[in-house]
Amino acid sequence: MRYLILFLISFLCCQLTFSQNPNQFIGTWQLEKISYKKIAATNDGEQQFRDVFNTALYSKLNEKQRLDLYELEQLNEKAVELVKLYYQSEIEFQANQVFYNRSKMLAQPTSGEYLLDGKKLLMEWETADRYTYKILKLNNSQLVWMDVDLGVVYYYINIKTEKL
């Protein structure tokens, strides 16, 4: 019982800390690495990024789809798109709920709108793609979120904090 009470108190403190300072989210964050289950890729390995995305996407397919060459081709194309978006990227979150994604593999930055709702981050890209992320960690130096649908975890470091 005592452990349950301590857990609840620490959980509430974490929730209050997060909700009291949503402005620490505003700024520029550089992607450091991604992971899926027990595999990870750092920002110096493009093929590793592709392997992580391919593995995560492959795990979403059912047995019949895994045998279909068309499905596998689509999976590879989606993995390439994700690598282009995230490999060696920075995401800038602005106070007006606009974000800009700058990746070394894109000719020009992409953008969109975001909504921060407690521990959920909802992002709609300019391509009308929508993603829901669960924020696992947020402090002045690190932002970690997980793609709710895909299960990939993204690890960012703060490189520029915006003063409001």
Side-chain angles (χ1 to χ4, degrees):
M1 182 67 178
R2 183 169 60 177
Y3 293 112
L4 179 62
I5 292 172
L6 288 173
F7 171 76
L8 289 174
I9 290 172
S10 62
F11 178 76
L12 289 173
C13 287
C14 289
Q15 290 293 333
L16 288 173
T17 301
F18 183 80
S19 63
Q20 287 175 351
N21 196 4
N23 293 336
Q24 70 187 27
F25 187 74
I26 308 302
T28 304
W29 300 85
Q30 182 177 36
L31 185 61
E32 197 173 35
K33 71 177 182 176
I34 62 171
S35 67
Y36 177 74
K37 295 192 178 179
K38 293 186 179 188
I39 60 171
T42 59
N43 243 351
D44 58 357
E46 180 183 336
Q47 184 58 45
Q48 292 173 334
F49 260 61
R50 191 171 176 183
D51 292 344
V52 169
F53 287 125
N54 272 329
T55 302
L57 291 165
Y58 186 77
S59 71
K60 294 288 188 189
L61 299 178
N62 63 37
E63 288 300 318
K64 186 177 179 182
Q65 291 171 321
R66 289 178 182 174
L67 298 174
D68 185 347
L69 291 177
Y70 176 76
E71 290 288 340
L72 295 175
E73 186 177 300
Q74 295 292 86
L75 179 143
N76 284 327
E77 288 176 15
K78 180 66 175 174
V80 167
E81 286 177 31
L82 290 169
V83 170
K84 284 181 182 177
L85 271 180
Y86 289 107
Y87 182 67
Q88 295 186 345
S89 68
E90 294 176 359
I91 294 185
E92 176 186 348
F93 293 99
Q94 297 184 346
N96 61 356
Q97 295 186 317
V98 172
F99 73 89
Y100 295 94
N101 180 57
R102 293 169 187 85
S103 171
K104 303 271 191 235
M105 298 188 75
L106 294 174
Q108 57 186 4
T110 57
S111 62
E113 296 179 353
Y114 73 91
L115 175 65
L116 186 61
D117 182 20
K119 291 267 186 182
K120 263 191 191 169
L121 171 63
L122 309 169
M123 294 174 70
E124 182 172 345
W125 296 74
E126 61 191 14
T127 58
D129 291 332
R130 293 181 179 163
Y131 293 93
T132 303
Y133 301 99
K134 179 180 178 184
I135 296 180
L136 304 176
K137 182 177 183 178
L138 174 61
N139 59 38
N140 291 333
S141 62
Q142 191 176 30
L143 168 62
V144 180
W145 73 47
M146 180 179 70
D147 183 326
V148 173
D149 296 325
L150 198 53
V152 173
V153 178
Y154 301 83
Y155 300 82
Y156 288 88
I157 56 171
N158 190 336
I159 59 173
K160 183 179 176 189
T161 302
E162 297 294 322
K163 301 294 182 200
L164 299 178

